[in-house]
Amino acid sequence: MSAFGEGAPCWADVALPDLAVGRTFYGELLGWTFEDQGEEFGHYTMALRDGVKVAALMPKADPSMPTAWGVFLAVADAARTAEKVRAAGGQVAFGPDAVGDSGVMAGVVDPGGSFVGLWQPAGHQGFDLVNKPGAYAWSENHTRDAEAVDAFYQDVFGYESQQVGDGVHFDYKVWSVPGAEDPSLGRLKLDGTAEDTPSAYQVYFAVGDCDDAAATVRRLGGQVLVGPAESPYGRTAIVTDDQGARFAVIDLARRSDSIPGQ
């Protein structure tokens, strides 16, 4: 049985042109150490914080692949979920494929164009640590077709949703896995000013101090795209690493009552 509910984010990894450069960047920024899984698994490299698995880095198998972070959702049966994805208007990009004795993986694209992974766990359950400095904290789906995307995830995973923005100037919903006490992930509708921003999932990693993390990103050759800024969930900054992969950092202890866009 999975440690994560059906449809809950359970893993994240990043595809990079240069794995060694990535290890240096994330090692210093997030305090990660690494375990290369070997040539058999394409040098897929586990990232550890305090000795437990928190994410992974991998070299891009094809230069045409995006340099990007990806999120995986936990499923009990990847093949069955892939069929539900097709029936709900999504696409199956690859899989389901067995990954040794670790689990079964598939990649799908929702109706808004965001790619997300499916993970049917076996030997590898997913995150060993969340919501602590250096560990996964949150993810959200940035999309232009909010109505179709909301319906898709409700059909496939039964997500319950709640609007936390005004629904017009700031259309942001939190999605909850059925039975979960807390929201599982978010959905942001991209506005017209972000026409060059692709539909995609954005991953957040917790840090002890958002401003220090943003300064470290710059020092290591990355970029700070937005922030640092206050939010009801923590002080956040949207950044890229020194190879162009976009993600966010969040200090969960510094929360405000203001909602962005309100």
Side-chain angles (χ1 to χ4, degrees):
M1 180 179 295
S2 173
F4 299 88
E6 183 82 6
C10 66
W11 193 242
D13 60 23
V14 63
L16 297 171
D18 191 318
L19 186 60
V21 169
R23 290 172 61 138
T24 299
F25 180 93
Y26 289 101
E28 184 160 353
L29 176 66
L30 298 174
W32 289 352
T33 57
F34 303 95
E35 289 183 354
D36 189 333
Q37 302 304 290
E39 188 173 351
E40 178 185 0
F41 295 101
H43 294 288
Y44 194 82
T45 299
M46 294 293 184
L48 312 179
R49 175 68 188 239
D50 300 327
V52 299
K53 297 190 293 290
V54 292
L57 281 60
M58 61 180 174
K60 295 203 302 188
D62 183 333
S64 67
M65 289 175 60
T67 301
W69 277 95
V71 181
F72 289 82
L73 307 178
V75 296
D77 187 323
R80 183 176 63 193
T81 306
E83 289 305 314
K84 292 174 71 173
V85 164
R86 292 187 180 97
Q91 302 174 26
V92 177
F94 64 82
D97 299 314
V99 184
D101 59 3
S102 295
V104 178
M105 176 177 63
V108 305
V109 180
D110 68 30
S114 294
F115 173 87
V116 67
L118 307 178
W119 182 250
Q120 177 187 324
H124 174 57
Q125 291 288 307
F127 301 119
D128 288 331
L129 181 72
V130 296
N131 297 327
K132 300 292 183 182
Y136 170 90
W138 185 247
S139 56
E140 59 198 16
N141 188 348
H142 294 187
T143 185
R144 286 184 179 76
D145 199 346
E147 184 175 350
V149 164
D150 289 345
F152 171 83
Y153 287 94
Q154 202 285 325
D155 287 346
V156 175
F157 295 110
Y159 287 165
E160 300 165 0
S161 64
Q162 177 183 357
Q163 178 69 247
V164 298
D166 63 7
V168 179
H169 302 97
F170 182 62
D171 187 348
Y172 190 102
K173 287 186 176 181
V174 291
W175 290 336
S176 300
V177 171
E181 292 184 8
D182 298 315
S184 303
L185 63 167
R187 189 275 292 149
L188 172 67
K189 183 176 182 180
L190 296 171
D191 61 28
T193 63
E195 292 182 0
D196 60 343
T197 302
S199 295
Y201 275 82
Q202 180 167 279
V203 182
Y204 287 69
F205 292 103
V207 292
D209 186 298
C210 182
D211 296 80
D212 285 351
T216 300
V217 166
R218 290 190 181 98
R219 178 172 58 80
L220 294 173
Q223 298 183 49
V224 178
L225 304 178
V226 180
E230 302 293 328
S231 83
Y233 311 104
R235 186 165 174 82
T236 66
I238 301 171
V239 303
T240 70
D241 66 22
D242 54 348
Q243 300 184 73
R246 175 177 169 140
F247 63 103
V249 291
I250 181 166
D251 177 353
L252 295 167
R254 289 187 59 179
R255 304 188 178 206
S256 73
D257 295 330
S258 63
I259 296 176
Q262 295 275 309

